Each structure stands twice: as C-alpha cells, then as structure tokens.
Amino acid sequence: MILAQLPRFRFSIFAKSHFSLASSHFSYINPNPPVKVAKSLFSYAPKSNIATVEPIPASSDLEDAPVEISLDKLFIPPETDISGEDPSRLMTRILKGSNIVLSKYARDAQVVQADYVKSSVRTEDCPADGLPEFALVGRSNVGKSSLLNSLVKRKRLALTSKKPGKTQCINHFRINDNWYLVDLPGYGYASAPHELKQDWNKFTKDYFLNRSTLVSVFLLVDASLPPKQIDLDYASWLGQNQVPMTMVFTKCDKRKKKRNGGKRPEENIKEFQDLIQGFFETTPPWIMTSSVTNQGRDEILLHMAQLRNYWLKH
C-alpha cells in the first residue's frame, strides 16, 4: 500500500508497484512470501492502555481454529519497520481483533472532552480551523451513532434512532479541542426520498474528495450479516478514489443461530475480506467492534491516534 499526497495521508490500495520495507517507510506491501506472524486473525488481548504505545500481548486462549496472518495482510503504518523482527514479538504489536500494527505515533489516544460543533450540508461550510478529522460512514442502521457514543463514552453525543436514515448532514464533534470525529449520513436507506438520497450521496462524496483535513474514513460494516454488495461497492469507490479507509466491523457480539443459517461475525468478516480481494490489491486496515461490549473501542482510538499524529507531523 503506497501513501501519497501528504499531509492528507492518502494511500492507494490499488497500487501496482511494490516497494520493500527497507527502501521506503511508506510501504505497505511486502513482496516476500507470506510469513506466519500470529496464531489467529481474530485473536483477543487484555484491555489495551490507550495512553501508551506499550505492546499489547495477544491471548493464547482462542475459541476458534488457528488462522495464519501474513505480512501482506497487515497494515503497517509509515515509519514503522518490521523487517527482521521476531514473529512472536510482532504479534504483541498487532491491535487485538485487527490487522493493524502499532507504531511510535500511537499516543495521546484518550478522549477527555467531546463537544458537538455544527452540522453542514456542504464541504465548504465545515469547520475551517484546520484540525485533523476522521469520518464515520456506513449503511443505515449499521450502528454508527452507537459507535461514536461508545468512542467518547457519552450516551447521547450522537443521537441514536431505531429509524434508519436519521443522520442527514455532515456532523462535526470536536475531541479534546484538537481533532474531530465526523458523523456522515448513512447510505442504502430504501425509504428515503430519491432526491434526498441523491443529495446525501453528492455532498458525502464531495466531502471525501475535497476535505483537505480528512485523515481517514472509517467504513462501518455489519459483521452480524453476510456481506452486502452496497458495502463492497462503497469500499471499492473509496479505494478507486484513493480516499484513506479503515474497515470497522460492527455488532461483533451478535451470534446468529446455526439452525437458521446464521454465521458467526468472524465468518462474515472473512467472507467480506475474501470478496474485496477481487478489487483491492492488499487488505485495508480493519478492526472488530461492538458498541454493546465496547470491543474495539481502545483499538480504534489507538489507530486514530497514530494516523493523526503522523498527519500532524507531516
């Protein structure tokens, strides 16, 4: 994965050229054969300390069959050299329930303050203070507002609703007075008027393409359901337009009954990843989450912190 157009922190997951880790700190793709670096793709670790960059040990108490994860399946942040690192130690640097390697920039991740700032329907109307921001987007009823509330530990910062399609603007929430979380309209809500859906689609895509302070988009995908084509299409559009993206798999606490044909979240996630291999050259960064159990909360904040701190430096 090649990063370009700094400081926007863009990266292309359609890049054809392969660069070695030794030759470029912007490298994501390792041209060497896959190397086993962990016993399970879905390993869990003790609760992470989001104030530090201390290694997070992976648990050996796994419920699922071992699954290999190779270097080309990892997200390796810029200025992070893992060449020659012992595989067992590298395991301790992978955020639990993800494919993301911790870097030296993973610091100051705690949320101390969160405030609603404004809602906009045009990119040019968004806050103009130059602070870095992360946008949350996903299919309607994917649990976007619940995740945002979980991240900031506020039950009603972003209002949740049983009626999908409630978010209709670009909503900015200032975190710690130095960065933003952005709640975007959900897509795929069938009952929304056609004209309204067109407006959402237009100003959301304009925001992705023209918002200079956007560090990364966090695309939410419901892991309790089989992959949806609309999610695959959305991920593909982001990649084709070189919009930096992290996949956030939500509702990972839900277990469908086998007799009803349901699959475990891990199975749906694997199927989604298998499908996107057709249009992504490498696996984008991804994290498993649950707003019910707070699974993945610390990991998302650590990942945002390392992306944000790198963006600010450059």
Side-chain angles (χ1 to χ4, degrees), residues 28 33-43 66-75 82 87 90-91 94-95 97-101 273 283-286:
Y28 178 79
V35 177
K36 183 176 181 181
V37 297
K39 289 187 177 181
S40 173
L41 191 61
F42 304 107
S43 60
V67 179
E68 290 187 354
I69 179 169
S70 54
L71 290 178
D72 62 330
K73 300 294 184 182
L74 291 176
F75 174 75
I82 64 169
L90 181 56
M91 283 176 58
I94 301 173
L95 289 172
S98 82
N99 69 334
I100 299 168
V101 176
Q273 291 174 334
T283 304
W286 56 265

Side-chain angles (χ1 to χ4, degrees), residues 155 173 183:
K155 290 184 178 180
F173 301 90
D183 188 13

Side-chain angles (χ1 to χ4, degrees), residues 96-303:
K96 63 179 180 178
S98 82
N99 69 334
I100 299 168
V101 176
L102 273 176
S103 76
K104 63 183 180 180
Y105 291 102
R107 61 182 183 271
D108 303 324
Q110 291 178 329
V111 173
V112 178
Q113 182 180 356
D115 300 292
Y116 167 77
V117 176
K118 67 178 302 187
S119 297
S120 312
V121 294
R122 300 187 307 169
T123 304
E124 53 266 37
D125 295 332
C126 293
D129 51 18
L131 296 178
E133 58 195 50
F134 299 88
L136 305 181
V137 69
R139 190 165 48 86
S140 294
N141 209 30
V142 74
K144 180 164 49 68
S145 295
S146 295
L147 177 64
L148 193 155
N149 290 334
S150 174
L151 290 175
V152 300
K153 291 187 176 181
R154 293 261 298 274
K155 290 184 178 180
R156 294 178 63 82
L157 182 68
L159 294 180
T160 58
S161 173
K162 292 183 179 180
K163 182 180 180 181
K166 193 69 174 178
T167 303
Q168 300 178 11
C169 300
I170 304 172
N171 300 305
H172 275 76
F173 301 90
R174 188 165 51 236
I175 310 299
N176 300 343
D177 282 331
N178 56 26
W179 60 281
Y180 287 106
L181 277 173
V182 183
D183 188 13
L184 296 176
Y187 55 83
Y189 180 41
S191 298
H194 178 67
E195 295 80 6
L196 187 57
K197 286 193 289 186
Q198 284 187 319
D199 287 343
W200 293 350
N201 189 53
K202 182 179 183 300
F203 74 65
T204 300
K205 288 186 175 180
D206 180 75
Y207 167 83
F208 290 148
L209 296 175
N210 298 308
R211 185 63 171 165
S212 62
T213 54
L214 176 63
V215 179
S216 182
V217 173
F218 281 60
L219 176 64
L220 277 60
V221 177
D222 189 341
S224 71
L225 301 172
K228 302 292 184 182
Q229 188 61 47
I230 192 171
D231 293 324
L232 297 170
D233 291 344
Y234 213 94
S236 176
W237 184 91
L238 289 171
Q240 288 171 341
N241 287 277
Q242 296 191 21
V243 179
M245 177 190 72
T246 294
M247 293 186 300
V248 177
F249 292 102
T250 66
K251 305 183 182 181
C252 289
D253 57 290
K254 293 192 174 183
R255 304 291 181 190
K256 302 294 184 180
K257 294 181 179 179
K258 284 287 186 180
R259 63 175 179 270
N260 294 333
K263 294 182 179 180
R264 294 179 295 111
E266 293 86 352
E267 294 175 295
N268 291 327
I269 291 172
K270 184 178 185 305
E271 184 178 354
F272 191 95
Q273 291 174 334
D274 289 343
L275 288 171
I276 68 171
Q277 287 181 357
F279 49 76
F280 287 98
E281 185 168 308
T282 62
T283 304
W286 56 265
I287 303 175
M288 297 174 67
T289 71
S290 166
S291 60
V292 175
T293 65
N294 281 329
Q295 174 187 348
R297 175 188 180 274
D298 290 358
E299 288 66 37
I300 287 178
L301 292 175
L302 276 167
H303 182 48

